[in-house]
Amino acid sequence: MNKKKLNTLAKQLSLSPKGILAADESTKTITKRFESIDLESTFENRRKYRELLFKTEGLEKFISGIILYDETINQKTSDGQLFPEYLIKKGISPGIKVDTGAIQINQNSSEKITEGLDGLNVRLKKYKELGAEFTKWRAIIEIGDSLPSDYCIEYNAYLLGRYAKIVQQHDLVPIVEPEVLMDGDHTIQECFDVTAKTLKLVFDNLNYHNVFMGGILLKPNMILSGKKCKNQATIETVASMTIKCLNENVPSDVPGIVFLSGGQSNEVATQHLNEMNLKFNNLPWNLSFSYGRALQQPSILSWKGSDSNTTTSQKKLIKRSELNSQATMGDYRIESENASL
Ligand code: 13P
């Protein structure tokens, strides 16, 4: 394992003023997104949409890396360049989602276990040849009546540890993503407690698997009130409880923390990140974003599958990328949302 290489890349990917764009929706998920604009999810429409995102002019000023999906990493621009090749030339690091999705733990439970270790070594070799420099694996933890179970957290944490170890052996940076979902009516304190327990077990398992902490990125949820909770915490409370949870559970030698947006509105996801970077200085890790929905949503809605909307859609992506870039420096102002576009 080339520790220096992993550490340099992990720092670079999470270093302000840049963050990561998650464009690794599975075919099932992107099909759902396309349904919202009444567009058929064909191989070519998916390619076209990803090309629109990647070819956005100036994206590299705000975006350090883009996470791709298995289909996407094998697709090409309209002028015949493989997407990862195109991104590298543009100064953006290509990453790849390597888990193969989550399945129910058992028939009577909504809890899920993420799969993807089978054949991982072979896939990593192929992805590396295609140009991938980092990877992602997402585990899902649900809060509900007597959930999450210890089994769900422990088994997912174990798999994240093994995944990260294998990935580092290929000199790729693993993004470790344990997502505690915001669905439900739980309080912010419950989210704090479940996230703290999850992070503790994740780092126990990363250590158990002898993962090099200086060569990973953590992609956690923020500490939020459940979507249906009557008492929605303020921006300030979310920021301070998130930082408290991370300070207590994330080793200081982890180079960067890149949040997922997880169903927050675009503006709120930006406000939360901004508040953390504004109020908390001298944190041991870089604090940035790795958003999917909160970066792409305005683009996809304005694209509607039509070439005539490509420029408008790209402007929407640049706007969200720039505003989140400002949030990595604590420089975002809500008034900027009303600026043109
Ligand atoms: P969201 O920002 O839409 O939560 O997606 C990030 C991601 O990559 C989930 O795995």
Side-chain angles (χ1 to χ4, degrees), residues 134-156:
F134 67 103
T135 67
K136 183 191 103 172
W137 178 294
R138 172 176 179 247
I140 305 162
I141 311 292
E142 186 188 335
I143 302 179
D145 283 347
S146 2
L147 297 184
S149 64
D150 287 347
Y151 177 75
C152 176
I153 305 180
E154 283 165 19
Y155 197 36
N156 273 306

PDB file of all heavy atoms in Angstrom, residues 134-156:
ATOM      1  N   PHE A 134     -10.585   6.493  -6.603  1.00  0.00           N
ATOM      2  CA  PHE A 134     -11.162   6.287  -5.270  1.00  0.00           C
ATOM      3  C   PHE A 134     -12.487   5.527  -5.413  1.00  0.00           C
ATOM      4  O   PHE A 134     -12.986   5.347  -6.534  1.00  0.00           O
ATOM      5  CB  PHE A 134     -11.315   7.612  -4.520  1.00  0.00           C
ATOM      6  CG  PHE A 134     -12.335   8.567  -5.089  1.00  0.00           C
ATOM      7  CD1 PHE A 134     -13.578   8.720  -4.506  1.00  0.00           C
ATOM      8  CD2 PHE A 134     -12.044   9.343  -6.213  1.00  0.00           C
ATOM      9  CE1 PHE A 134     -14.514   9.597  -5.025  1.00  0.00           C
ATOM     10  CE2 PHE A 134     -12.971  10.236  -6.732  1.00  0.00           C
ATOM     11  CZ  PHE A 134     -14.220  10.356  -6.139  1.00  0.00           C
ATOM     12  N   THR A 135     -13.028   5.080  -4.291  1.00  0.00           N
ATOM     13  CA  THR A 135     -14.209   4.214  -4.330  1.00  0.00           C
ATOM     14  C   THR A 135     -15.215   4.627  -3.255  1.00  0.00           C
ATOM     15  O   THR A 135     -14.875   5.405  -2.355  1.00  0.00           O
ATOM     16  CB  THR A 135     -13.833   2.740  -4.055  1.00  0.00           C
ATOM     17  OG1 THR A 135     -13.396   2.649  -2.691  1.00  0.00           O
ATOM     18  CG2 THR A 135     -12.741   2.238  -4.982  1.00  0.00           C
ATOM     19  N   LYS A 136     -16.411   4.083  -3.349  1.00  0.00           N
ATOM     20  CA  LYS A 136     -17.428   4.351  -2.320  1.00  0.00           C
ATOM     21  C   LYS A 136     -18.209   3.087  -1.984  1.00  0.00           C
ATOM     22  O   LYS A 136     -18.480   2.264  -2.855  1.00  0.00           O
ATOM     23  CB  LYS A 136     -18.400   5.404  -2.827  1.00  0.00           C
ATOM     24  CG  LYS A 136     -19.449   5.807  -1.794  1.00  0.00           C
ATOM     25  CD  LYS A 136     -20.549   6.655  -2.395  1.00  0.00           C
ATOM     26  CE  LYS A 136     -21.796   5.816  -2.605  1.00  0.00           C
ATOM     27  NZ  LYS A 136     -22.967   6.603  -3.020  1.00  0.00           N
ATOM     28  N   TRP A 137     -18.548   2.953  -0.727  1.00  0.00           N
ATOM     29  CA  TRP A 137     -19.421   1.855  -0.246  1.00  0.00           C
ATOM     30  C   TRP A 137     -20.362   2.457   0.778  1.00  0.00           C
ATOM     31  O   TRP A 137     -19.914   3.078   1.737  1.00  0.00           O
ATOM     32  CB  TRP A 137     -18.560   0.763   0.397  1.00  0.00           C
ATOM     33  CG  TRP A 137     -19.274  -0.418   0.987  1.00  0.00           C
ATOM     34  CD1 TRP A 137     -20.114  -0.425   2.071  1.00  0.00           C
ATOM     35  CD2 TRP A 137     -19.194  -1.784   0.551  1.00  0.00           C
ATOM     36  NE1 TRP A 137     -20.547  -1.694   2.341  1.00  0.00           N
ATOM     37  CE2 TRP A 137     -20.001  -2.563   1.416  1.00  0.00           C
ATOM     38  CE3 TRP A 137     -18.512  -2.431  -0.477  1.00  0.00           C
ATOM     39  CZ2 TRP A 137     -20.138  -3.938   1.301  1.00  0.00           C
ATOM     40  CZ3 TRP A 137     -18.641  -3.813  -0.600  1.00  0.00           C
ATOM     41  CH2 TRP A 137     -19.448  -4.558   0.279  1.00  0.00           C
ATOM     42  N   ARG A 138     -21.669   2.281   0.549  1.00  0.00           N
ATOM     43  CA  ARG A 138     -22.666   2.894   1.446  1.00  0.00           C
ATOM     44  C   ARG A 138     -23.403   1.832   2.254  1.00  0.00           C
ATOM     45  O   ARG A 138     -23.949   0.890   1.695  1.00  0.00           O
ATOM     46  CB  ARG A 138     -23.682   3.676   0.606  1.00  0.00           C
ATOM     47  CG  ARG A 138     -24.886   4.205   1.359  1.00  0.00           C
ATOM     48  CD  ARG A 138     -25.733   5.037   0.409  1.00  0.00           C
ATOM     49  NE  ARG A 138     -26.918   5.567   1.032  1.00  0.00           N
ATOM     50  CZ  ARG A 138     -28.166   5.190   0.700  1.00  0.00           C
ATOM     51  NH1 ARG A 138     -28.361   4.276  -0.228  1.00  0.00           N
ATOM     52  NH2 ARG A 138     -29.195   5.744   1.292  1.00  0.00           N
ATOM     53  N   ALA A 139     -23.387   2.021   3.569  1.00  0.00           N
ATOM     54  CA  ALA A 139     -24.185   1.172   4.458  1.00  0.00           C
ATOM     55  C   ALA A 139     -25.358   2.009   4.957  1.00  0.00           C
ATOM     56  O   ALA A 139     -25.217   3.224   5.146  1.00  0.00           O
ATOM     57  CB  ALA A 139     -23.330   0.709   5.628  1.00  0.00           C
ATOM     58  N   ILE A 140     -26.495   1.372   5.146  1.00  0.00           N
ATOM     59  CA  ILE A 140     -27.700   2.110   5.530  1.00  0.00           C
ATOM     60  C   ILE A 140     -28.174   1.673   6.907  1.00  0.00           C
ATOM     61  O   ILE A 140     -28.367   0.477   7.164  1.00  0.00           O
ATOM     62  CB  ILE A 140     -28.840   1.822   4.522  1.00  0.00           C
ATOM     63  CG1 ILE A 140     -28.371   2.145   3.102  1.00  0.00           C
ATOM     64  CG2 ILE A 140     -30.089   2.619   4.868  1.00  0.00           C
ATOM     65  CD1 ILE A 140     -29.240   1.498   2.034  1.00  0.00           C
ATOM     66  N   ILE A 141     -28.380   2.656   7.777  1.00  0.00           N
ATOM     67  CA  ILE A 141     -28.858   2.375   9.131  1.00  0.00           C
ATOM     68  C   ILE A 141     -30.164   3.144   9.328  1.00  0.00           C
ATOM     69  O   ILE A 141     -30.215   4.361   9.109  1.00  0.00           O
ATOM     70  CB  ILE A 141     -27.835   2.848  10.208  1.00  0.00           C
ATOM     71  CG1 ILE A 141     -26.403   2.357   9.897  1.00  0.00           C
ATOM     72  CG2 ILE A 141     -28.298   2.457  11.612  1.00  0.00           C
ATOM     73  CD1 ILE A 141     -26.170   0.886  10.000  1.00  0.00           C
ATOM     74  N   GLU A 142     -31.179   2.404   9.736  1.00  0.00           N
ATOM     75  CA  GLU A 142     -32.499   3.007   9.857  1.00  0.00           C
ATOM     76  C   GLU A 142     -32.860   3.194  11.332  1.00  0.00           C
ATOM     77  O   GLU A 142     -32.629   2.295  12.141  1.00  0.00           O
ATOM     78  CB  GLU A 142     -33.473   2.015   9.194  1.00  0.00           C
ATOM     79  CG  GLU A 142     -34.879   2.475   9.065  1.00  0.00           C
ATOM     80  CD  GLU A 142     -35.771   1.303   8.575  1.00  0.00           C
ATOM     81  OE1 GLU A 142     -35.263   0.358   7.916  1.00  0.00           O
ATOM     82  OE2 GLU A 142     -36.965   1.350   8.887  1.00  0.00           O
ATOM     83  N   ILE A 143     -33.445   4.342  11.670  1.00  0.00           N
ATOM     84  CA  ILE A 143     -33.932   4.547  13.039  1.00  0.00           C
ATOM     85  C   ILE A 143     -35.447   4.307  13.043  1.00  0.00           C
ATOM     86  O   ILE A 143     -36.164   4.830  12.186  1.00  0.00           O
ATOM     87  CB  ILE A 143     -33.648   5.985  13.546  1.00  0.00           C
ATOM     88  CG1 ILE A 143     -32.150   6.294  13.487  1.00  0.00           C
ATOM     89  CG2 ILE A 143     -34.187   6.176  14.957  1.00  0.00           C
ATOM     90  CD1 ILE A 143     -31.770   7.694  13.954  1.00  0.00           C
ATOM     91  N   GLY A 144     -35.920   3.511  14.003  1.00  0.00           N
ATOM     92  CA  GLY A 144     -37.365   3.240  14.089  1.00  0.00           C
ATOM     93  C   GLY A 144     -37.650   2.516  15.379  1.00  0.00           C
ATOM     94  O   GLY A 144     -36.780   2.440  16.258  1.00  0.00           O
ATOM     95  N   ASP A 145     -38.859   1.960  15.513  1.00  0.00           N
ATOM     96  CA  ASP A 145     -39.209   1.203  16.720  1.00  0.00           C
ATOM     97  C   ASP A 145     -38.201   0.082  16.916  1.00  0.00           C
ATOM     98  O   ASP A 145     -38.080  -0.788  16.074  1.00  0.00           O
ATOM     99  CB  ASP A 145     -40.607   0.588  16.573  1.00  0.00           C
ATOM    100  CG  ASP A 145     -41.669   1.640  16.794  1.00  0.00           C
ATOM    101  OD1 ASP A 145     -41.317   2.731  17.290  1.00  0.00           O
ATOM    102  OD2 ASP A 145     -42.840   1.381  16.436  1.00  0.00           O
ATOM    103  N   SER A 146     -37.487   0.103  18.001  1.00  0.00           N
ATOM    104  CA  SER A 146     -36.390  -0.835  18.333  1.00  0.00           C
ATOM    105  C   SER A 146     -35.364  -1.001  17.208  1.00  0.00           C
ATOM    106  O   SER A 146     -34.696  -2.021  17.115  1.00  0.00           O
ATOM    107  CB  SER A 146     -36.852  -2.217  18.793  1.00  0.00           C
ATOM    108  OG  SER A 146     -38.195  -2.382  18.794  1.00  0.00           O
ATOM    109  N   LEU A 147     -35.257  -0.032  16.336  1.00  0.00           N
ATOM    110  CA  LEU A 147     -34.213  -0.048  15.299  1.00  0.00           C
ATOM    111  C   LEU A 147     -33.286   1.141  15.504  1.00  0.00           C
ATOM    112  O   LEU A 147     -33.747   2.188  15.941  1.00  0.00           O
ATOM    113  CB  LEU A 147     -34.827   0.051  13.892  1.00  0.00           C
ATOM    114  CG  LEU A 147     -35.741  -1.057  13.429  1.00  0.00           C
ATOM    115  CD1 LEU A 147     -36.149  -0.821  11.986  1.00  0.00           C
ATOM    116  CD2 LEU A 147     -35.057  -2.418  13.561  1.00  0.00           C
ATOM    117  N   PRO A 148     -32.038   1.011  15.151  1.00  0.00           N
ATOM    118  CA  PRO A 148     -31.413  -0.130  14.486  1.00  0.00           C
ATOM    119  C   PRO A 148     -31.070  -1.259  15.455  1.00  0.00           C
ATOM    120  O   PRO A 148     -30.848  -1.023  16.633  1.00  0.00           O
ATOM    121  CB  PRO A 148     -30.124   0.482  13.921  1.00  0.00           C
ATOM    122  CG  PRO A 148     -29.800   1.603  14.857  1.00  0.00           C
ATOM    123  CD  PRO A 148     -31.100   2.132  15.329  1.00  0.00           C
ATOM    124  N   SER A 149     -30.996  -2.465  14.909  1.00  0.00           N
ATOM    125  CA  SER A 149     -30.544  -3.596  15.720  1.00  0.00           C
ATOM    126  C   SER A 149     -29.022  -3.549  15.813  1.00  0.00           C
ATOM    127  O   SER A 149     -28.358  -3.002  14.924  1.00  0.00           O
ATOM    128  CB  SER A 149     -30.976  -4.913  15.070  1.00  0.00           C
ATOM    129  OG  SER A 149     -30.336  -5.048  13.815  1.00  0.00           O
ATOM    130  N   ASP A 150     -28.487  -4.131  16.881  1.00  0.00           N
ATOM    131  CA  ASP A 150     -27.022  -4.208  17.005  1.00  0.00           C
ATOM    132  C   ASP A 150     -26.449  -4.979  15.817  1.00  0.00           C
ATOM    133  O   ASP A 150     -25.407  -4.649  15.276  1.00  0.00           O
ATOM    134  CB  ASP A 150     -26.628  -4.931  18.306  1.00  0.00           C
ATOM    135  CG  ASP A 150     -26.890  -4.052  19.519  1.00  0.00           C
ATOM    136  OD1 ASP A 150     -27.124  -2.835  19.327  1.00  0.00           O
ATOM    137  OD2 ASP A 150     -26.879  -4.574  20.647  1.00  0.00           O
ATOM    138  N   TYR A 151     -27.187  -6.025  15.418  1.00  0.00           N
ATOM    139  CA  TYR A 151     -26.712  -6.866  14.320  1.00  0.00           C
ATOM    140  C   TYR A 151     -26.518  -6.044  13.045  1.00  0.00           C
ATOM    141  O   TYR A 151     -25.506  -6.174  12.355  1.00  0.00           O
ATOM    142  CB  TYR A 151     -27.730  -8.000  14.081  1.00  0.00           C
ATOM    143  CG  TYR A 151     -27.372  -8.898  12.923  1.00  0.00           C
ATOM    144  CD1 TYR A 151     -26.360  -9.839  13.044  1.00  0.00           C
ATOM    145  CD2 TYR A 151     -28.045  -8.786  11.704  1.00  0.00           C
ATOM    146  CE1 TYR A 151     -26.017 -10.655  11.980  1.00  0.00           C
ATOM    147  CE2 TYR A 151     -27.708  -9.601  10.636  1.00  0.00           C
ATOM    148  CZ  TYR A 151     -26.702 -10.535  10.776  1.00  0.00           C
ATOM    149  OH  TYR A 151     -26.356 -11.338   9.717  1.00  0.00           O
ATOM    150  N   CYS A 152     -27.477  -5.181  12.752  1.00  0.00           N
ATOM    151  CA  CYS A 152     -27.405  -4.367  11.530  1.00  0.00           C
ATOM    152  C   CYS A 152     -26.175  -3.453  11.574  1.00  0.00           C
ATOM    153  O   CYS A 152     -25.419  -3.375  10.605  1.00  0.00           O
ATOM    154  CB  CYS A 152     -28.686  -3.549  11.386  1.00  0.00           C
ATOM    155  SG  CYS A 152     -28.635  -2.424   9.987  1.00  0.00           S
ATOM    156  N   ILE A 153     -25.973  -2.782  12.691  1.00  0.00           N
ATOM    157  CA  ILE A 153     -24.837  -1.857  12.772  1.00  0.00           C
ATOM    158  C   ILE A 153     -23.519  -2.636  12.717  1.00  0.00           C
ATOM    159  O   ILE A 153     -22.602  -2.298  11.971  1.00  0.00           O
ATOM    160  CB  ILE A 153     -24.872  -0.999  14.059  1.00  0.00           C
ATOM    161  CG1 ILE A 153     -26.201  -0.251  14.178  1.00  0.00           C
ATOM    162  CG2 ILE A 153     -23.717  -0.006  14.071  1.00  0.00           C
ATOM    163  CD1 ILE A 153     -26.318   0.621  15.410  1.00  0.00           C
ATOM    164  N   GLU A 154     -23.461  -3.706  13.510  1.00  0.00           N
ATOM    165  CA  GLU A 154     -22.195  -4.449  13.610  1.00  0.00           C
ATOM    166  C   GLU A 154     -21.796  -5.099  12.281  1.00  0.00           C
ATOM    167  O   GLU A 154     -20.638  -5.039  11.870  1.00  0.00           O
ATOM    168  CB  GLU A 154     -22.292  -5.529  14.703  1.00  0.00           C
ATOM    169  CG  GLU A 154     -22.166  -4.932  16.096  1.00  0.00           C
ATOM    170  CD  GLU A 154     -22.621  -5.881  17.199  1.00  0.00           C
ATOM    171  OE1 GLU A 154     -22.705  -7.103  16.951  1.00  0.00           O
ATOM    172  OE2 GLU A 154     -22.904  -5.380  18.302  1.00  0.00           O
ATOM    173  N   TYR A 155     -22.784  -5.696  11.620  1.00  0.00           N
ATOM    174  CA  TYR A 155     -22.440  -6.403  10.384  1.00  0.00           C
ATOM    175  C   TYR A 155     -22.065  -5.415   9.277  1.00  0.00           C
ATOM    176  O   TYR A 155     -21.094  -5.616   8.549  1.00  0.00           O
ATOM    177  CB  TYR A 155     -23.584  -7.327   9.963  1.00  0.00           C
ATOM    178  CG  TYR A 155     -23.173  -8.367   8.955  1.00  0.00           C
ATOM    179  CD1 TYR A 155     -21.908  -8.950   9.002  1.00  0.00           C
ATOM    180  CD2 TYR A 155     -24.036  -8.766   7.942  1.00  0.00           C
ATOM    181  CE1 TYR A 155     -21.522  -9.900   8.067  1.00  0.00           C
ATOM    182  CE2 TYR A 155     -23.657  -9.717   6.998  1.00  0.00           C
ATOM    183  CZ  TYR A 155     -22.390 -10.271   7.064  1.00  0.00           C
ATOM    184  OH  TYR A 155     -22.009 -11.195   6.143  1.00  0.00           O
ATOM    185  N   ASN A 156     -22.821  -4.323   9.178  1.00  0.00           N
ATOM    186  CA  ASN A 156     -22.469  -3.302   8.184  1.00  0.00           C
ATOM    187  C   ASN A 156     -21.094  -2.689   8.470  1.00  0.00           C
ATOM    188  O   ASN A 156     -20.319  -2.415   7.547  1.00  0.00           O
ATOM    189  CB  ASN A 156     -23.538  -2.197   8.144  1.00  0.00           C
ATOM    190  CG  ASN A 156     -24.685  -2.534   7.200  1.00  0.00           C
ATOM    191  OD1 ASN A 156     -24.460  -2.826   6.022  1.00  0.00           O
ATOM    192  ND2 ASN A 156     -25.898  -2.513   7.707  1.00  0.00           N
TER     193      ASN A 156
END
